Amino acid sequence: MTAEEIKELDAKVRKARFVLSQKAGVLHDLIEDRLPADYLEIPAYAEETFLACKAWDELNKKLIENKI
């Protein structure tokens, strides 16, 4: 990878980290503020958070591999 491609990938990793932090925050708010009443919403929020974490992990691994 070129230096420019690594820079772009790094930006994608940072954006993915931001997205996963937002998803985790929404899940946290559900748990802290709306349980037990809204417990049926847990699977959807958990899935979104999981997918955001997975996307970040895949990008981050690719970045680490290409920085070496």
Side-chain angles (χ1 to χ4, degrees), residues 27-68:
L27 180 60
H28 176 266
D29 290 346
L30 168 65
I31 292 166
E32 287 287 316
D33 302 331
R34 299 184 2 232
L35 289 182
D38 293 333
Y39 75 94
L40 291 174
E41 294 181 31
I42 293 171
Y45 286 107
E47 179 70 12
E48 288 179 20
T49 304
F50 172 80
L51 292 174
C53 289
K54 184 177 178 185
W56 169 82
D57 185 48
E58 290 170 359
L59 286 169
N60 194 53
K61 285 178 181 174
K62 185 175 180 181
L63 178 63
I64 290 169
E65 288 172 3
N66 286 289
K67 276 189 170 181
I68 296 175

Side-chain angles (χ1 to χ4, degrees), residues 9-27:
L9 184 55
D10 186 53
K12 288 179 183 180
V13 169
R14 283 186 272 116
K15 183 177 179 181
R17 174 71 182 171
F18 176 76
V19 169
L20 83 84
S21 294
Q22 287 184 312
K23 300 290 185 185
V26 172
L27 180 60

